[in-house]
Amino acid sequence: MERRTIGAATLEVGAIGLGCMPMSWGYSRSQQRGDRSLRAVHAALDAGSTLLDTADMYGPFTNELLVGRALKERRADAFVATKCGLLVGGDAHVVADGRPGYVKRACDASLRRLQTDVIDLYQLHRADPDVPVEETWGAMAELVTAGKVRALGVCATGAPTARRPGAPHEVTIRQLERVQQVFPVSAVQAELSVWAPEALDALLPWCAARGVGFLAAMPLGSGFLTGTLTPGQGFEPDDVRARHPRFTAEMMAANQPVVAGLRRVAARHGDGVTPAQVALAWLLGRGPHVVPVPGTKREEWARENAAAAGLALTARDEAEIERLPGARGSWD
Ligand SMILES: NC(=O)c1ccc[n+]([C@@H]2O[C@H](COP(=O)([O-])OP(=O)(O)OC[C@H]3O[C@@H](n4cnc5c(N)ncnc54)[C@H](OP(=O)(O)O)[C@@H]3O)[C@@H](O)[C@H]2O)c1
């Protein structure tokens, strides 16, 4: 698989990574596959998808434990990206904690769960509104100095919407400018996909101009862009898509032209090429600093997604994807 560099030239990863979240968090618990998810991690690593994206919050904690079991056997094959700063409370509410002492304890706990002595990329999941972000970031920088972490990243908060207006990602960019004064940012992680292109406006160029890597989260539109979901199929109550306006039967039907467009492009590339692969190949074309992290718990999809690194889209394909109608349904 093609290799890409993230931030400093020493951080090299396979062009397509693996998002480990669906193995333990976000989507329906009844669909989780327990230890069988490990096969997806191994399939991804075998295919050259070295970057494994996890977080202490996923599970919580069980996702890092799972990744740790895979790493125990083959740490050298993987680039481990995890996150701190978001916790799941007893009532399942998510809260930010950016206190320096907490961040240091969280890192030690992640290292234990991941069964490793160093995290390749430690990402701030969310800034804590009660703690100056420079203080949180300073503590994370000390973890680099201590040799527990190789590089630091920031997860962007959501793009602007009707309820949260503003220039695309302006809050995140202000935050990035502040933390850059303290310690270099090696990667930014934010949602980016064919149906959620907002990061293209300002965030992606901000990263490109500074040699900062960009991890494209939710690159398959939480599964929608793969064409394997059916309008009206319904989602279990613990699946984030059950509450998501884009996953109502009406909006899934309204957004079918996006999937149809990806299907048309895929068909031109021959049998076996899928809309998911086209969606990932399109992301790779957004810049040499972009690394999509498609999430899956299935080995066959991990393999399929990794193979998208070998799919070369033509100018005609790109133009057709650019012309697709904007997705309907607000993200919040
Ligand atoms: N920083 C943040 O705040 C943040 C937020 C969200 C996500 N993320 C990161 O981004 C990663 C990706 O996001 P995501 O997992 O939410 O969304 P995604 O990658 O857009 O889509 C994942 C969904 O697509 C399905 N899928 C994957 N490959 C497929 C294929 N080839 N064909 C058909 N279906 C396929 C998966 O099914 P199965 O689950 O059944 O395999 C899963 O339901 C996460 O794992 C996480 O690491 C970060």
Side-chain angles (χ1 to χ4, degrees):
M1 184 184 291
E2 177 202 336
R3 310 273 291 179
R4 295 195 162 192
T5 51
I6 293 190
T10 46
L11 298 178
E12 224 194 40
V13 295
I16 291 181
L18 175 68
C20 299
M21 187 186 82
M23 300 172 191
S24 332
W25 184 253
Y27 304 118
S28 172
R29 272 187 192 278
S30 74
Q31 305 286 315
Q32 287 173 11
R33 297 157 71 88
D35 285 359
R36 278 193 298 157
S37 292
L38 275 174
R39 294 188 204 152
V41 179
H42 287 295
L45 292 175
D46 290 343
S49 285
T50 56
L51 192 155
L52 306 178
D53 187 61
T54 178
D56 55 1
M57 196 198 94
Y58 300 159
F61 312 127
T62 49
N63 198 235
E64 284 190 336
L65 287 168
L66 198 70
V67 171
R69 288 177 52 202
L71 290 181
K72 196 173 176 191
E73 293 168 39
R74 49 192 310 188
R75 177 67 183 91
D77 295 340
F79 179 99
V80 187
T82 191
K83 315 183 185 84
C84 67
L86 263 191
L87 298 109
V88 186
D91 54 359
H93 270 83
V94 172
V95 287
D97 192 339
R99 292 171 299 163
Y102 166 75
V103 164
K104 291 184 178 170
R105 284 195 303 280
C107 178
D108 286 338
S110 286
L111 284 167
R112 273 196 302 277
R113 285 188 291 271
L114 290 164
Q115 305 200 44
T116 185
D117 50 13
V118 66
I119 292 163
D120 296 304
L121 181 69
Y122 204 38
Q123 303 162 98
L124 179 57
H125 213 158
R126 290 291 180 276
D128 182 340
D130 297 328
V131 179
V133 70
E134 291 86 348
E135 277 182 28
T136 309
W137 196 252
M140 292 173 73
E142 284 175 30
L143 295 169
V144 181
T145 312
K148 295 179 178 185
V149 165
R150 288 173 70 204
L152 301 184
V154 170
C155 293
T157 43
T161 61
R163 267 190 9 208
R164 198 178 44 232
H169 292 106
E170 64 175 342
V171 174
T172 299
I173 290 174
R174 272 205 305 273
Q175 219 172 64
L176 285 165
E177 301 279 6
R178 283 169 63 188
V179 299
Q180 279 281 64
Q181 306 295 318
V182 178
F183 193 86
V185 179
S186 286
V188 169
Q189 176 169 160
E191 181 179 14
L192 177 62
S193 71
V194 170
W195 83 342
E198 291 80 4
L200 296 179
D201 288 355
L203 195 54
L204 208 67
W206 188 95
C207 292
R210 290 158 185 80
V212 171
F214 187 94
L215 308 193
M218 292 180 263
L220 301 173
S222 303
F224 181 80
L225 299 172
T226 68
T228 56
L229 303 178
T230 316
Q233 68 171 64
F235 297 97
E236 290 177 41
D238 64 347
D239 190 310
V240 286
R241 293 170 295 191
R243 295 176 299 284
H244 200 301
R246 277 197 186 167
F247 287 92
T248 61
E250 186 196 359
M251 283 305 150
M252 285 176 79
N255 288 320
Q256 284 306 308
V258 181
V259 178
L262 295 174
R263 257 193 228 292
R264 270 196 309 277
V265 173
R268 283 205 289 276
H269 287 269
D271 278 354
V273 174
T274 64
Q277 290 175 322
V278 173
L280 295 172
W282 177 81
L283 281 169
L284 291 177
R286 298 314 96 209
H289 61 312
V290 177
V291 177
V293 286
T296 185
K297 46 188 168 285
R298 292 165 208 278
E299 56 187 322
E300 62 276 19
W301 286 348
R303 245 181 249 117
E304 177 185 318
N305 296 341
L311 176 63
L313 296 182
T314 63
R316 178 184 168 201
D317 298 334
E318 296 264 353
E320 193 166 333
I321 294 168
E322 303 294 330
R323 279 198 307 273
L324 289 174
R328 294 177 52 199
S330 167
W331 274 121
D332 68 357

